[in-house]
Amino acid sequence: AQKITQTQPGMFVQEKEAVTLDCTYDTSDPSYGLFWYKQPSSGEMIFLIYQGSYDQQNATEGRYSLNFQKARKSANLVISASQLGDSAMYFCAMREVTQGAQKLVFGQGTRLTINP
Amino acid sequence: DAGVIQSPRHEVTEMGQEVTLRCKPISGHNSLFWYRQTMMRGLELLIYFNNNVPIDDSGMPEDRFSAKMPNASFSTLKIQPSEPRDSAVYFCASRGGALMNTEAFFGQGTRLTVV
């Protein structure tokens, strides 16, 4: 069963607009972590933001924020004031504990294109 | 720190040949992950190690794939024999510490083409 679901294969947004990238997850563990990574066309994976399952507040990092709705098992990434350089693939990932070690699994990704 | 180092960056090989991908994790990191990225299947977790021990290899597609981590500073992913459908970008990632909020750091990837 898919543990991380990103339902938007692609999104197109005008520069300077805010954009929300969806992510839902499935786990029965009470302790887990959620991550967002950016992959530009150059191919590297860049860590953006983290949300822990016990965190009371939504995580924020500069223009990135995470809309964490635990009961709905969603962790959407919000990018404010989008820029041309935000065009990239975005991956949601979940860390869960397996056999005492922490396993990181990714969703299928969303390709974001920022139009000038 | 130099980050996670993967070699080679690009590999082109003929079907049936053995391919070995290499990874040097960040010093001090105790977890290492191998991922495969394709257009069709996205980022798939192949195997991950904790303290050099393989914890979960359920993502390894077939017996043709094998991975080793002989010490804390080196890991290999081997495909023998290689097939065209193995063409993909293979990423190695490492992380350190026991806290849940520690992110994994990725290497630049190895782009494998099997012809």
Side-chain angles (χ1 to χ4, degrees), chain B:
Chain B
D1 199 315
V4 177
I5 300 173
Q6 291 187 245
S7 63
R9 290 293 309 277
H10 302 273
E11 177 80 33
V12 181
T13 190
E14 291 186 347
M15 182 174 63
Q17 296 297 306
E18 176 180 299
V19 175
T20 299
L21 311 181
R22 297 173 175 80
C23 175
K24 177 178 168 51
I26 293 173
S27 177
H29 281 190
N30 60 347
S31 294
L32 184 140
F33 307 84
W34 280 101
Y35 291 90
R36 177 173 69 176
Q37 185 177 29
T38 61
M39 288 292 292
M40 291 298 295
R41 302 175 71 91
L43 264 168
E44 302 173 274
L45 177 62
L46 301 178
I47 185 170
Y48 77 103
F49 296 84
N50 193 54
N51 295 322
N52 311 338
V53 176
I55 301 299
D56 186 346
D57 65 354
S58 59
M60 296 286 262
E62 300 170 34
D63 291 346
R64 299 183 296 107
F65 286 70
S66 63
K68 294 182 179 179
M69 192 165 185
N71 56 62
S73 59
F74 184 65
S75 177
T76 58
L77 178 67
K78 185 178 293 186
I79 308 172
Q80 166 63 18
S82 57
E83 297 182 3
R85 59 193 169 119
D86 301 330
S87 297
V89 178
Y90 291 80
F91 284 101
C92 175
S94 72
R95 68 180 292 274
L99 297 177
M100 291 289 277
N101 65 346
T102 308
E103 72 269 27
F105 293 83
F106 281 74
Q108 293 285 75
T110 294
R111 182 174 295 277
L112 174 65
T113 304
V114 183
V115 297

Side-chain angles (χ1 to χ4, degrees), chain A residues 50-92:
Chain A
Y50 167 83
Q51 180 82 43
S53 59
Y54 293 120
D55 292 345
Q56 295 296 311
Q57 294 187 335
N58 288 342
T60 60
E61 286 287 347
R63 293 187 299 113
Y64 303 110
S65 61
L66 216 153
N67 183 3
F68 182 47
Q69 298 186 44
K70 193 170 182 177
R72 297 179 61 183
K73 294 188 175 180
S74 74
N76 299 339
L77 177 70
V78 180
I79 306 174
S80 63
S82 59
Q83 302 171 357
L84 296 179
D86 294 333
S87 294
M89 281 289 289
Y90 288 81
F91 292 95
C92 180

